[in-house]
Amino acid sequence: MTKSIWASAGALALAFLTTQGAMAQDAKPVRGGILNYGVAGGPHTLDCHAGNSFAVTHHLGPHYSTLMKTDNRNYPNTIGDLAKSWTISPDHLTYTFKLHDNVKFHDGTALTSEDVRASFQRIIDPPAGVVSAWRSMYADLKSVEAPDKDTVVFKMSAPNSGMLSIFGSPWACIYSAAKLKEDPKYPEKTVMGTGPFQLVEHVSGSHWTGKRFDGYFRPGLPYLDGFKAIALSSTALINALAGGQIDAEFRGVTPADQQRIQASRGANIRFEQAEGMGLFMVSFNTKVKPYDDIRVRRALTLAVDRWGGIEPMSRISTLKYVSSFQRPGAPDALPKAQLEKLPGFGRDIKAARAEARRLLAEAGVPNLKFTLINRGPDMPYAPFALYLIDQWRQIGVTVDQQVVDTANWAQRRTSGNFSVIVDVTGDWGEDPSFVMARFLSSDTSFNNPTGFSDPKIEQLFQAQKLEFDPAKRTQAVNVLENYIVEQIFTMPVFRTVRLLPFATKVQNYPVVPVHNWLGDVSEIWLKP
Amino acid sequence: MLTYVAKRLLMTIPTLLGAAVLIFFMLRVVPGDVIEVKLRGDGASVTQDVIDAERRRLGLDKPLPEQFTSWIAGLTRLDPGLSMWTGKPVVDEMSVRLPLSIQVAVMGALIATLIAVPMGTLSALYRDSPIDYLLRIFSLVGLAVPAFWFGMVMILLLLWLFNWLPPVIYTPFHVDPIANLSQLIWPALVVGIRYAAVVARMVRSSVIEVMKEDYIRTARAKGLAEKVIIIRHAMKNAMLPAITVIGLEFAFLMGGLVVTEQVFNLNGIGQLFVQAVAHRDFVLVQNIVMFIAAVFVFTNLAVDLLYAAIDPRIRYR
Amino acid sequence: MKLGAITTSVSVPSRARPTGWRKMMQFATTQPLGAAGLVTALVMAIAGALAPLIAPYNPVAISFSDMLAPPSWEHPLGTDNFGRDILSRILYGARTAIVMGLVSALIGSTLGAIIGVVSAYFGGVVDLLIQRVVDIFLSLPIIVLALVVVAMLGRNLVLGFDFNLILAISIPIVPQVARVVRSSALSIREMAYVDAARVAGYSTRRIIFRHMAPNLMAPYLIMLTAFIAQAILLEASLSFLGLGVTEPSPAWGLMLAGNAVDFYRQAPWMIIFPGLAISLAVFSFNLLGDSLRDWLDPKARLR
């Protein structure tokens, strides 16, 4: 029975994407209306370049354009946003973009290539006092030039097969060069971009409203007159959906929430889903005994029955897929047959548990005891850890959980103050160069908390990064992923589903895996 | 009297300063910092130099005594600084949320008074009778039910019975009283019922106390009707301690809002406090705490002064 | 007269009271409500202590096949979203609640009482200093103080209980008890026999422990009982906010935390029973405390 989950998940996601596309063509969009949606958290910054959480994009997204963007109808392809067309030099070292010529900022000034140049310059070489959270992602970028009004040229210091999708980052908002010149920190105080909506009001901790920008460059868009993003705690968010006070939420709810909302709203609500980007993992501190011993780490990953646990877990949490580092439906994901050969992903849990016990005994820690550091109290951290603890109990390992808040968790994780910690990724994009970067050796990747280093990982990573032929690249990525999973410094376990609720009137929002990107709000319309 | 007031006012200074020292240094021991939450909480690829630069920008690299004195110096100029989380002035962040919290607290106090005064008086007059037991049990139940559970059950009942929920966005009373009340009446009820339990106990014991005073006996001896005695004499005199409790509990209430606002998702000071602690927004936390402490200290002072002004038996020290 | 944060001033018992069994019987007959509270509290404490013997299931074992089962003979209070038996979790939760409540209230009240007596006995500068510090702590709301202390201290397991959480709950209790005990102690200090003892040249320690302490037992006991109730409530609130006891340890507040509320339609028993358990525990200790005050405080007894 569990066998089919994997296949059906992918099929479902695909089927869903196509029906959405069809729906959009069938019905004729209607202009007008206000979309009320909930966001579980306020933005900690108004500057996209400094942002890194969904709470930032779910507020700022509608106000800004980016050079490129992810194609939500043909996911995960990258298409132009401000860019009308582009060329890549044969050596993959020069990217030339032509911009749309009718783009206006909310203050009425026209957008030129200088604005794009200044914005990217701000990301790759931030002036003093400006935070560029994603700077390291652009490490291969050497220079940005604006040779004429509607052309931007990027020069690379090294080829990078993931570069085009990196240009589609939702964090790379394009700001006004003129205003940046006056004050490089203006985006922290004012929301002024070229996006489909203008900011009307922001009441801290309460709500954020936008109204249609009539000068938006894509003809006929946006359909909505405006939107209201309402800040709600995660429990209140579900209540608000059940009470019909909000029309949508873009991060995702659990199947239990779905049932609850459905029971209250009946035909007034529908749910759509895709495989999510939240990957729940366990990281080991390989500098601490006995986790420096791969046998111990191997035993701990073998003990977790992924295939047997995912179905019940999917009923009580947002976890829905067994997954390694790449999303199962991603273009470069490990083939299922290959995945099932990896430690912890096998189908025979009895054999795996026996092997795990044997390994622990061999490593001299048959009655291993440890404290699992978990981040609380959000979904799905709690059920995830409970499941792990129960699984480990079955091979004689006693685990005590310590739940700490995000601040404490982040600090412990980065400072290595843990033995075993619940770890998570929630990437904004799919490209392997981006997804796999955090699993590079600890001495190269500041985002690998495990202290594990192995030059072979870097070699394999470089190999896939320099591979531009899609089929060969998939192969190279598979080799890399396979190798990293086998080292078990971080063990991937379950992946989330992105299950989105929509009031029935909300139309034309294709659900894609990424929740850190709001998607295209300009194309949403409301059925009268 | 004036010197007494001045003396009492002066005495608030060491208390408030002590609270400031306490909270400031306690917070600095809390593990985790705002920049890591901001930039690494969601797993962005932020390098250490970005973190260090932010730390410098927020002045977190300065020695603690220096940070402390600059905060206190700011407070004396009524400039508590900028929120480390949003970068906005603390004054702005707090003033957006204050009206809501104050309204819930005031409504809670009103509800409490309306319930507690008749309840406590009845309880006292029929002391040790079944009425007294019933009312005492009621007030003890009010104290025992956890606010978060009461609120949670209330929301779920509203949703289940009426398929309706209170509005999620705060509307000031003067803009739309109905929208305002339909949002805030529920948390005010939760707060008020609990608070009524405390006040009722106080009213009960002070009425009992007053009833055995000489002047009540005199009134009885004069043959005044029991109703007149109770309302004119007993109630009037018993109200003083009751007002005291209402005043003092009002200050406590500001702290008690932490849980209630969380359950009802109210954008008030209590929720801001919980969020600020989670974000390690020390500047915001310490200012909220100081605000609540100041409210407490000054309500205390006001109650004492009122007491002194009304009751001639209290001598100024 | 000085009005502090706590207005429940407790005066000193002056009559000799009956002892032992007769005392208990007298309490039970004059204070039937209090006796009921005492019995309920005792039953809960015993149930918590005997949880491993009487709980039908392992409170932490996940059993997905029993997920969200309604109350039945097998699971009298139903099961939660992990198929864990709610009755067993409530029984083990009683253990957490009572231990946390009792120990925090004991530490807080005892420390508070000592500080109060010291402050009252020495008077002068010592009293002034202590009272200023007490003022400072009193100006911070209990939950605010507890929240910061929890965040500050982290976790420190002693015999399976988080000792730092106990500290966080007891710290806010200290100044409140200190304030009340001080005022009671002040009135005792003024009494003739303490003066006599001092004149007779008894040591400070002897005066405090032999002469003052026994007379402070009444206010101390009353406050202790009241603060057990408060501590249980505070522990539940902190656990509910995700800052107290952590999973998988069974604790009542924790059973309501996180997304438990999502199951209110499918499994209302997940919401109802833990809430009732907290309320009942707090209620019974409050009832006990209230009646103890009525019983021990002669001022309130006069008609």
Side-chain angles (χ1 to χ4, degrees), chain C residues 104-141:
Chain C
S104 318
L106 258 176
I107 295 180
S109 307
T110 310
L111 217 62
I114 294 174
I115 292 174
V117 171
V118 166
S119 185
Y121 182 83
F122 290 103
V125 185
V126 177
D127 185 37
L128 198 74
L129 275 178
I130 291 181
Q131 288 315 305
R132 289 287 78 76
V133 175
V134 165
D135 270 348
I136 292 168
F137 274 90
L138 279 179
S139 71
L140 306 172

mmCIF file of all heavy atoms in Angstrom, chain C residues 104-141:
data_model
loop_
_atom_site.group_PDB
_atom_site.id
_atom_site.type_symbol
_atom_site.label_atom_id
_atom_site.label_comp_id
_atom_site.label_asym_id
_atom_site.label_seq_id
_atom_site.Cartn_x
_atom_site.Cartn_y
_atom_site.Cartn_z
ATOM 1 N N SER C 104 7.710 23.816 43.721
ATOM 2 C CA SER C 104 7.879 25.252 43.458
ATOM 3 C C SER C 104 7.290 26.058 44.607
ATOM 4 O O SER C 104 7.899 27.029 45.071
ATOM 5 C CB SER C 104 7.162 25.688 42.191
ATOM 6 O OG SER C 104 7.331 24.782 41.162
ATOM 7 N N ALA C 105 6.090 25.665 45.066
ATOM 8 C CA ALA C 105 5.448 26.436 46.124
ATOM 9 C C ALA C 105 6.250 26.321 47.417
ATOM 10 O O ALA C 105 6.420 27.302 48.136
ATOM 11 C CB ALA C 105 4.020 25.951 46.339
ATOM 12 N N LEU C 106 6.783 25.120 47.674
ATOM 13 C CA LEU C 106 7.596 24.936 48.882
ATOM 14 C C LEU C 106 8.832 25.817 48.842
ATOM 15 O O LEU C 106 9.118 26.547 49.800
ATOM 16 C CB LEU C 106 8.023 23.475 49.003
ATOM 17 C CG LEU C 106 7.246 22.632 49.996
ATOM 18 C CD1 LEU C 106 7.723 21.193 49.938
ATOM 19 C CD2 LEU C 106 7.420 23.199 51.411
ATOM 20 N N ILE C 107 9.564 25.729 47.733
ATOM 21 C CA ILE C 107 10.781 26.537 47.619
ATOM 22 C C ILE C 107 10.448 28.015 47.728
ATOM 23 O O ILE C 107 11.030 28.761 48.525
ATOM 24 C CB ILE C 107 11.493 26.254 46.282
ATOM 25 C CG1 ILE C 107 11.981 24.804 46.241
ATOM 26 C CG2 ILE C 107 12.645 27.220 46.066
ATOM 27 C CD1 ILE C 107 12.683 24.436 44.958
ATOM 28 N N GLY C 108 9.459 28.433 46.938
ATOM 29 C CA GLY C 108 9.102 29.852 46.896
ATOM 30 C C GLY C 108 8.627 30.344 48.252
ATOM 31 O O GLY C 108 9.096 31.371 48.749
ATOM 32 N N SER C 109 7.714 29.595 48.886
ATOM 33 C CA SER C 109 7.141 30.065 50.145
ATOM 34 C C SER C 109 8.175 30.040 51.269
ATOM 35 O O SER C 109 8.235 30.963 52.082
ATOM 36 C CB SER C 109 5.947 29.196 50.556
ATOM 37 O OG SER C 109 5.029 29.122 49.510
ATOM 38 N N THR C 110 8.985 28.977 51.309
ATOM 39 C CA THR C 110 9.961 28.881 52.387
ATOM 40 C C THR C 110 10.990 30.001 52.278
ATOM 41 O O THR C 110 11.278 30.702 53.248
ATOM 42 C CB THR C 110 10.657 27.518 52.340
ATOM 43 O OG1 THR C 110 9.652 26.520 52.254
ATOM 44 C CG2 THR C 110 11.494 27.292 53.556
ATOM 45 N N LEU C 111 11.488 30.170 51.059
ATOM 46 C CA LEU C 111 12.460 31.234 50.843
ATOM 47 C C LEU C 111 11.837 32.588 51.183
ATOM 48 O O LEU C 111 12.445 33.430 51.862
ATOM 49 C CB LEU C 111 12.900 31.211 49.374
ATOM 50 C CG LEU C 111 14.352 31.519 49.113
ATOM 51 C CD1 LEU C 111 15.232 30.495 49.783
ATOM 52 C CD2 LEU C 111 14.614 31.548 47.610
ATOM 53 N N GLY C 112 10.607 32.758 50.732
ATOM 54 C CA GLY C 112 9.889 34.008 50.992
ATOM 55 C C GLY C 112 9.702 34.227 52.478
ATOM 56 O O GLY C 112 9.916 35.331 52.990
ATOM 57 N N ALA C 113 9.332 33.140 53.196
ATOM 58 C CA ALA C 113 9.098 33.266 54.630
ATOM 59 C C ALA C 113 10.383 33.646 55.360
ATOM 60 O O ALA C 113 10.402 34.533 56.206
ATOM 61 C CB ALA C 113 8.545 31.953 55.175
ATOM 62 N N ILE C 114 11.490 32.979 54.969
ATOM 63 C CA ILE C 114 12.772 33.292 55.614
ATOM 64 C C ILE C 114 13.121 34.760 55.398
ATOM 65 O O ILE C 114 13.456 35.493 56.332
ATOM 66 C CB ILE C 114 13.886 32.375 55.065
ATOM 67 C CG1 ILE C 114 13.590 30.927 55.486
ATOM 68 C CG2 ILE C 114 15.246 32.831 55.565
ATOM 69 C CD1 ILE C 114 14.525 29.915 54.884
ATOM 70 N N ILE C 115 12.999 35.190 54.152
ATOM 71 C CA ILE C 115 13.333 36.582 53.843
ATOM 72 C C ILE C 115 12.432 37.536 54.615
ATOM 73 O O ILE C 115 12.881 38.541 55.177
ATOM 74 C CB ILE C 115 13.233 36.830 52.320
ATOM 75 C CG1 ILE C 115 14.342 36.050 51.614
ATOM 76 C CG2 ILE C 115 13.342 38.319 51.997
ATOM 77 C CD1 ILE C 115 14.261 36.107 50.114
ATOM 78 N N GLY C 116 11.145 37.170 54.697
ATOM 79 C CA GLY C 116 10.198 38.023 55.415
ATOM 80 C C GLY C 116 10.554 38.147 56.887
ATOM 81 O O GLY C 116 10.579 39.241 57.441
ATOM 82 N N VAL C 117 10.879 37.017 57.516
ATOM 83 C CA VAL C 117 11.206 37.034 58.946
ATOM 84 C C VAL C 117 12.491 37.818 59.190
ATOM 85 O O VAL C 117 12.556 38.674 60.084
ATOM 86 C CB VAL C 117 11.350 35.588 59.482
ATOM 87 C CG1 VAL C 117 11.890 35.611 60.895
ATOM 88 C CG2 VAL C 117 10.017 34.877 59.437
ATOM 89 N N VAL C 118 13.486 37.532 58.381
ATOM 90 C CA VAL C 118 14.762 38.230 58.537
ATOM 91 C C VAL C 118 14.549 39.727 58.424
ATOM 92 O O VAL C 118 15.018 40.526 59.232
ATOM 93 C CB VAL C 118 15.772 37.728 57.477
ATOM 94 C CG1 VAL C 118 16.965 38.655 57.402
ATOM 95 C CG2 VAL C 118 16.206 36.311 57.805
ATOM 96 N N SER C 119 13.787 40.103 57.406
ATOM 97 C CA SER C 119 13.525 41.510 57.162
ATOM 98 C C SER C 119 12.827 42.137 58.373
ATOM 99 O O SER C 119 13.192 43.226 58.820
ATOM 100 C CB SER C 119 12.664 41.623 55.909
ATOM 101 O OG SER C 119 12.466 42.946 55.562
ATOM 102 N N ALA C 120 11.849 41.424 58.906
ATOM 103 C CA ALA C 120 11.079 41.981 60.021
ATOM 104 C C ALA C 120 11.907 42.021 61.302
ATOM 105 O O ALA C 120 11.872 42.986 62.048
ATOM 106 C CB ALA C 120 9.820 41.144 60.248
ATOM 107 N N TYR C 121 12.680 40.967 61.538
ATOM 108 C CA TYR C 121 13.419 40.878 62.786
ATOM 109 C C TYR C 121 14.500 41.942 62.879
ATOM 110 O O TYR C 121 14.630 42.630 63.880
ATOM 111 C CB TYR C 121 14.023 39.492 62.970
ATOM 112 C CG TYR C 121 14.759 39.373 64.277
ATOM 113 C CD1 TYR C 121 14.059 39.084 65.451
ATOM 114 C CD2 TYR C 121 16.130 39.580 64.347
ATOM 115 C CE1 TYR C 121 14.711 39.011 66.647
ATOM 116 C CE2 TYR C 121 16.792 39.520 65.561
ATOM 117 C CZ TYR C 121 16.076 39.227 66.712
ATOM 118 O OH TYR C 121 16.727 39.161 67.904
ATOM 119 N N PHE C 122 15.259 42.059 61.794
ATOM 120 C CA PHE C 122 16.377 43.002 61.870
ATOM 121 C C PHE C 122 15.935 44.431 61.682
ATOM 122 O O PHE C 122 16.522 45.336 62.251
ATOM 123 C CB PHE C 122 17.460 42.626 60.867
ATOM 124 C CG PHE C 122 18.155 41.367 61.253
ATOM 125 C CD1 PHE C 122 17.866 40.170 60.625
ATOM 126 C CD2 PHE C 122 19.089 41.373 62.274
ATOM 127 C CE1 PHE C 122 18.503 39.001 61.003
ATOM 128 C CE2 PHE C 122 19.731 40.208 62.661
ATOM 129 C CZ PHE C 122 19.436 39.021 62.026
ATOM 130 N N GLY C 123 14.895 44.643 60.875
ATOM 131 C CA GLY C 123 14.399 45.995 60.667
ATOM 132 C C GLY C 123 15.473 46.905 60.111
ATOM 133 O O GLY C 123 16.485 46.438 59.562
ATOM 134 N N GLY C 124 15.261 48.203 60.229
ATOM 135 C CA GLY C 124 16.272 49.184 59.843
ATOM 136 C C GLY C 124 16.704 49.063 58.408
ATOM 137 O O GLY C 124 15.880 48.870 57.500
ATOM 138 N N VAL C 125 18.035 49.151 58.210
ATOM 139 C CA VAL C 125 18.581 49.172 56.851
ATOM 140 C C VAL C 125 18.329 47.844 56.138
ATOM 141 O O VAL C 125 17.980 47.817 54.952
ATOM 142 C CB VAL C 125 20.099 49.463 56.889
ATOM 143 C CG1 VAL C 125 20.643 49.597 55.481
ATOM 144 C CG2 VAL C 125 20.357 50.732 57.677
ATOM 145 N N VAL C 126 18.491 46.739 56.892
ATOM 146 C CA VAL C 126 18.289 45.420 56.288
ATOM 147 C C VAL C 126 16.869 45.339 55.728
ATOM 148 O O VAL C 126 16.637 44.968 54.580
ATOM 149 C CB VAL C 126 18.496 44.311 57.340
ATOM 150 C CG1 VAL C 126 18.204 42.952 56.728
ATOM 151 C CG2 VAL C 126 19.904 44.374 57.888
ATOM 152 N N ASP C 127 15.916 45.713 56.558
ATOM 153 C CA ASP C 127 14.522 45.672 56.164
ATOM 154 C C ASP C 127 14.297 46.545 54.934
ATOM 155 O O ASP C 127 13.676 46.130 53.960
ATOM 156 C CB ASP C 127 13.667 46.172 57.330
ATOM 157 C CG ASP C 127 12.181 46.051 57.033
ATOM 158 O OD1 ASP C 127 11.803 45.049 56.389
ATOM 159 O OD2 ASP C 127 11.418 46.948 57.426
ATOM 160 N N LEU C 128 14.837 47.744 54.986
ATOM 161 C CA LEU C 128 14.649 48.690 53.892
ATOM 162 C C LEU C 128 15.175 48.109 52.588
ATOM 163 O O LEU C 128 14.510 48.121 51.548
ATOM 164 C CB LEU C 128 15.382 49.995 54.229
ATOM 165 C CG LEU C 128 14.914 51.186 53.413
ATOM 166 C CD1 LEU C 128 13.551 51.645 53.923
ATOM 167 C CD2 LEU C 128 15.921 52.319 53.488
ATOM 168 N N LEU C 129 16.391 47.561 52.647
ATOM 169 C CA LEU C 129 17.018 47.006 51.436
ATOM 170 C C LEU C 129 16.194 45.839 50.905
ATOM 171 O O LEU C 129 15.861 45.778 49.712
ATOM 172 C CB LEU C 129 18.438 46.537 51.759
ATOM 173 C CG LEU C 129 19.487 47.642 51.684
ATOM 174 C CD1 LEU C 129 20.860 47.104 52.077
ATOM 175 C CD2 LEU C 129 19.542 48.242 50.284
ATOM 176 N N ILE C 130 15.861 44.919 51.829
ATOM 177 C CA ILE C 130 15.108 43.740 51.390
ATOM 178 C C ILE C 130 13.776 44.175 50.784
ATOM 179 O O ILE C 130 13.363 43.681 49.735
ATOM 180 C CB ILE C 130 14.894 42.759 52.564
ATOM 181 C CG1 ILE C 130 16.234 42.131 52.952
ATOM 182 C CG2 ILE C 130 13.891 41.674 52.175
ATOM 183 C CD1 ILE C 130 16.146 41.134 54.079
ATOM 184 N N GLN C 131 13.120 45.111 51.424
ATOM 185 C CA GLN C 131 11.822 45.539 50.914
ATOM 186 C C GLN C 131 11.921 46.209 49.550
ATOM 187 O O GLN C 131 11.042 46.055 48.709
ATOM 188 C CB GLN C 131 11.117 46.471 51.918
ATOM 189 C CG GLN C 131 10.608 45.734 53.140
ATOM 190 C CD GLN C 131 9.898 44.439 52.782
ATOM 191 O OE1 GLN C 131 8.961 44.422 52.006
ATOM 192 N NE2 GLN C 131 10.382 43.322 53.317
ATOM 193 N N ARG C 132 13.006 46.926 49.297
ATOM 194 C CA ARG C 132 13.174 47.517 47.964
ATOM 195 C C ARG C 132 13.314 46.417 46.902
ATOM 196 O O ARG C 132 12.715 46.473 45.850
ATOM 197 C CB ARG C 132 14.387 48.446 47.929
ATOM 198 C CG ARG C 132 14.222 49.756 48.688
ATOM 199 C CD ARG C 132 13.299 50.762 47.995
ATOM 200 N NE ARG C 132 11.898 50.442 48.169
ATOM 201 C CZ ARG C 132 11.197 50.660 49.300
ATOM 202 N NH1 ARG C 132 11.760 51.203 50.342
ATOM 203 N NH2 ARG C 132 9.931 50.343 49.381
ATOM 204 N N VAL C 133 14.109 45.392 47.255
ATOM 205 C CA VAL C 133 14.293 44.301 46.292
ATOM 206 C C VAL C 133 12.964 43.576 46.063
ATOM 207 O O VAL C 133 12.593 43.254 44.933
ATOM 208 C CB VAL C 133 15.384 43.319 46.785
ATOM 209 C CG1 VAL C 133 15.479 42.119 45.849
ATOM 210 C CG2 VAL C 133 16.727 44.029 46.873
ATOM 211 N N VAL C 134 12.241 43.360 47.147
ATOM 212 C CA VAL C 134 10.928 42.723 47.036
ATOM 213 C C VAL C 134 10.020 43.566 46.139
ATOM 214 O O VAL C 134 9.326 43.053 45.258
ATOM 215 C CB VAL C 134 10.311 42.520 48.442
ATOM 216 C CG1 VAL C 134 8.832 42.213 48.335
ATOM 217 C CG2 VAL C 134 11.023 41.399 49.168
ATOM 218 N N ASP C 135 10.051 44.877 46.349
ATOM 219 C CA ASP C 135 9.270 45.791 45.507
ATOM 220 C C ASP C 135 9.590 45.595 44.033
ATOM 221 O O ASP C 135 8.712 45.575 43.181
ATOM 222 C CB ASP C 135 9.611 47.251 45.864
ATOM 223 C CG ASP C 135 8.701 47.770 46.950
ATOM 224 O OD1 ASP C 135 7.704 47.087 47.240
ATOM 225 O OD2 ASP C 135 8.979 48.861 47.485
ATOM 226 N N ILE C 136 10.887 45.479 43.763
ATOM 227 C CA ILE C 136 11.319 45.339 42.368
ATOM 228 C C ILE C 136 10.722 44.077 41.771
ATOM 229 O O ILE C 136 10.125 44.108 40.688
ATOM 230 C CB ILE C 136 12.859 45.303 42.289
ATOM 231 C CG1 ILE C 136 13.437 46.667 42.665
ATOM 232 C CG2 ILE C 136 13.304 44.888 40.893
ATOM 233 C CD1 ILE C 136 14.917 46.662 42.885
ATOM 234 N N PHE C 137 10.844 42.964 42.494
ATOM 235 C CA PHE C 137 10.317 41.714 41.953
ATOM 236 C C PHE C 137 8.799 41.757 41.828
ATOM 237 O O PHE C 137 8.230 41.199 40.900
ATOM 238 C CB PHE C 137 10.756 40.526 42.825
ATOM 239 C CG PHE C 137 12.099 40.005 42.442
ATOM 240 C CD1 PHE C 137 13.254 40.494 43.026
ATOM 241 C CD2 PHE C 137 12.211 39.032 41.461
ATOM 242 C CE1 PHE C 137 14.493 40.024 42.658
ATOM 243 C CE2 PHE C 137 13.438 38.548 41.086
ATOM 244 C CZ PHE C 137 14.595 39.049 41.685
ATOM 245 N N LEU C 138 8.157 42.434 42.791
ATOM 246 C CA LEU C 138 6.699 42.501 42.748
ATOM 247 C C LEU C 138 6.208 43.315 41.555
ATOM 248 O O LEU C 138 5.098 43.110 41.074
ATOM 249 C CB LEU C 138 6.165 43.117 44.038
ATOM 250 C CG LEU C 138 6.067 42.174 45.226
ATOM 251 C CD1 LEU C 138 5.554 42.940 46.437
ATOM 252 C CD2 LEU C 138 5.135 41.014 44.921
ATOM 253 N N SER C 139 7.038 44.245 41.094
ATOM 254 C CA SER C 139 6.583 45.105 40.004
ATOM 255 C C SER C 139 6.566 44.365 38.668
ATOM 256 O O SER C 139 6.031 44.857 37.693
ATOM 257 C CB SER C 139 7.455 46.360 39.905
ATOM 258 O OG SER C 139 8.729 46.008 39.417
ATOM 259 N N LEU C 140 7.160 43.168 38.632
ATOM 260 C CA LEU C 140 7.151 42.409 37.377
ATOM 261 C C LEU C 140 6.068 41.341 37.459
ATOM 262 O O LEU C 140 6.065 40.539 38.383
ATOM 263 C CB LEU C 140 8.518 41.759 37.153
ATOM 264 C CG LEU C 140 9.695 42.724 37.200
ATOM 265 C CD1 LEU C 140 11.010 41.963 37.162
ATOM 266 C CD2 LEU C 140 9.628 43.694 36.047
ATOM 267 N N PRO C 141 5.145 41.327 36.500
ATOM 268 C CA PRO C 141 4.081 40.323 36.540
ATOM 269 C C PRO C 141 4.645 38.906 36.551
ATOM 270 O O PRO C 141 5.678 38.629 35.937
ATOM 271 C CB PRO C 141 3.318 40.568 35.245
ATOM 272 C CG PRO C 141 3.665 41.939 34.826
ATOM 273 C CD PRO C 141 5.018 42.226 35.382
#
